[in-house]
Amino acid sequence: MENKVCALTFDDGPNTVTTPLVIDKLEKYGVVASFFLVGNNIDEESARVSRRAFGLGCEINNHSRTHSAMTELSAEEIKQEIAYTSEKIMEIIGEGPKFFRPPYIAVNDTMVENIDLPFIAGFGAEDWEDSVSAAERAKRILEQVCDGCVILLHDIVGNDKTVEALDTIIPALKNEGYEFVTVSGLFERAGIVPAKGIVYSYTGQKNMYA
């Protein structure tokens, strides 16, 4: 019988401060993750960090160019947000992103109509809030995880509590029989082609974003 699977994901990088620490943890435990990049954070140095993650088997995906509230943008502005970051990712790793995570997980019809990538959400821990301790972040994630789910965390600069929480989250899930795969790997293992208009937090999701 196949193991249960989950996908660790990290938003709002890349950077040269916290993203490398996250990658260190992935290497330590021999697992992969998916990184959702903000295009304006990509420069020569941070690109090398993303390339390192990709070389370890991680997936590099799109989180818009500016992390704006895209529900307030025009169709053309939305297309520009996606195209910029997708092109940057292509330059870094030689292939385009496979998924998109909407900033603030805010979605409307205009976005669905103008973004060709499948939309990903996930189960999070409000780990952008410094007041949430590493232990509480780990607890919240472990309480929500299910087979085929996406774990939503952030590798923003200085987010050391999430880096620390990984030392609890990863071993605990391994002990529960979970295998860590990329977001692509989740859908491949489930034999599911992501549908347009669904913002996925787990592969079996049927409900639309609204």
Side-chain angles (χ1 to χ4, degrees):
M1 187 176 72
E2 288 189 330
N3 290 344
K4 296 177 287 187
V5 290
C6 64
L8 270 176
T9 70
F10 297 92
D11 279 8
D12 298 353
N15 59 72
T16 59
V17 179
T18 303
T19 309
L21 299 179
V22 169
I23 298 171
D24 289 345
K25 295 296 184 186
L26 302 178
E27 276 199 293
K28 174 182 177 181
Y29 294 108
V31 300
V32 295
S34 298
F35 291 85
F36 287 79
L37 273 51
V38 173
N40 279 354
N41 289 340
I42 300 170
D43 58 26
E44 189 175 339
E45 291 186 355
S46 66
R48 282 197 289 268
V49 175
S50 293
R51 208 171 285 119
R52 176 190 168 201
F54 182 71
L56 294 172
C58 295
E59 188 168 80
I60 310 299
N61 288 314
N62 193 317
H63 193 37
S64 81
R65 177 177 183 173
T66 64
H67 205 284
S68 300
M70 293 177 70
T71 52
E72 300 172 9
L73 302 183
S74 68
E76 188 55 38
E77 288 170 329
I78 288 167
K79 289 177 182 177
Q80 290 172 359
E81 286 273 334
I82 300 305
Y84 180 90
T85 301
S86 290
E87 287 165 12
K88 286 289 186 182
I89 291 170
M90 177 68 79
E91 290 172 12
I92 295 170
I93 63 172
E95 63 182 57
K98 297 179 174 67
F99 296 92
F100 167 68
R101 177 170 281 141
Y104 314 108
I105 316 298
V107 178
N108 64 7
D109 288 345
T110 309
M111 291 171 66
V112 172
E113 291 162 5
N114 289 280
I115 299 172
D116 291 333
L117 297 168
F119 289 30
I120 298 296
F123 297 104
E126 293 185 316
D127 72 316
W128 61 87
E129 289 282 359
D130 191 59
S131 60
V132 182
S133 69
E136 178 62 22
R137 295 176 195 204
K139 178 175 178 288
R140 291 183 188 183
I141 294 300
L142 294 174
E143 286 175 347
Q144 296 177 86
V145 170
C146 60
D147 189 19
C149 82
V150 177
I151 298 168
L152 197 172
L153 296 168
H154 295 76
D155 58 324
I156 49 180
V157 172
N159 202 15
D160 294 340
K161 291 176 183 175
T162 284
V163 176
E164 181 183 343
L166 294 174
D167 280 323
T168 300
I169 293 167
I170 297 173
L173 291 177
K174 280 190 163 188
N175 286 340
E176 291 180 23
Y178 277 92
E179 178 185 346
F180 292 84
V181 297
T182 62
V183 175
S184 290
L186 276 188
F187 287 95
E188 288 166 7
R189 287 283 284 268
I192 292 171
V193 177
K196 197 172 185 67
I198 297 179
V199 186
Y200 286 93
S201 288
Y202 59 96
T203 52
Q205 195 165 323
K206 305 295 184 187
N207 57 303
M208 307 295 273
Y209 62 89

